[in-house]
Amino acid sequence: MYTIGDLVIYSSHGICRITDICEKTYSGITRTYYVMHPIENNNLLLNLPVDHADGIIQRLLNREEAEEILHSFTKPGMEWPEKNQDRIRMYSTIIKTGDRMEIAKIINTIMRKQNDAEHNGKKLGESERKILMSTQHILFKELSIMMGVPIEAIAEQVDLLMQQSSEASYGLQRD
């Protein structure tokens, strides 16, 4: 069970702070609820029954896990199914698990595809762009909190790690 003040990941709302744990009655049924506010939108109030929280909210990473995820951007990512429909289904299934290491692999893969597309004067597909924007922001924000640096520093570090790994795989030397 979480406590008041805990930061958690709550699906598409991102990182939320639990501001209260209390009993509420809806439709004649009294249950215990987590009351949360997304850290980037304190005006939004979220109520989640404690007995439904498993798998819906997750604890934040610890620093060691955050460093491991950051380091994962030195690796190539994951498979890129050729059919857009299959790719989006696979990525969506992984995202729903909440496994941040696997989500980082998706972000890594899409970022690399985006870089390749831009290098060739093309654009990333809209479905991939949406997945990248939503997952990248939430993961990078979590990493920034756990590493104690601004989110921009995480984005810069990821770009640097990806660039270094690309150069290494092509046998290029850095200046």
Side-chain angles (χ1 to χ4, degrees), residues 60-92:
L60 260 58
L61 301 166
N62 62 40
R63 186 174 178 97
E64 183 179 307
E65 292 166 326
E67 289 172 356
E68 185 179 338
I69 286 174
L70 199 54
H71 180 73
S72 76
F73 285 92
T74 63
K75 297 180 176 86
M78 64 179 10
E79 88 177 87
W80 183 267
E82 287 306 312
K83 289 185 176 178
N84 184 50
Q85 189 175 26
D86 294 343
R87 185 170 52 251
I88 300 307
R89 185 179 310 116
M90 181 179 94
Y91 291 171
S92 295

Side-chain angles (χ1 to χ4, degrees), residues 58 61 64-73 75 77-78 94 97-109 139 142-143:
Q58 296 178 315
L61 301 166
E64 183 179 307
E65 292 166 326
E67 289 172 356
E68 185 179 338
I69 286 174
L70 199 54
H71 180 73
S72 76
F73 285 92
K75 297 180 176 86
M78 64 179 10
I94 292 169
T97 68
D99 182 329
R100 263 85 100 224
M101 182 59 81
E102 293 300 309
I103 291 170
K105 289 178 185 176
I106 292 170
I107 293 168
N108 185 350
T109 302
L139 182 67
E142 182 177 10
L143 293 174

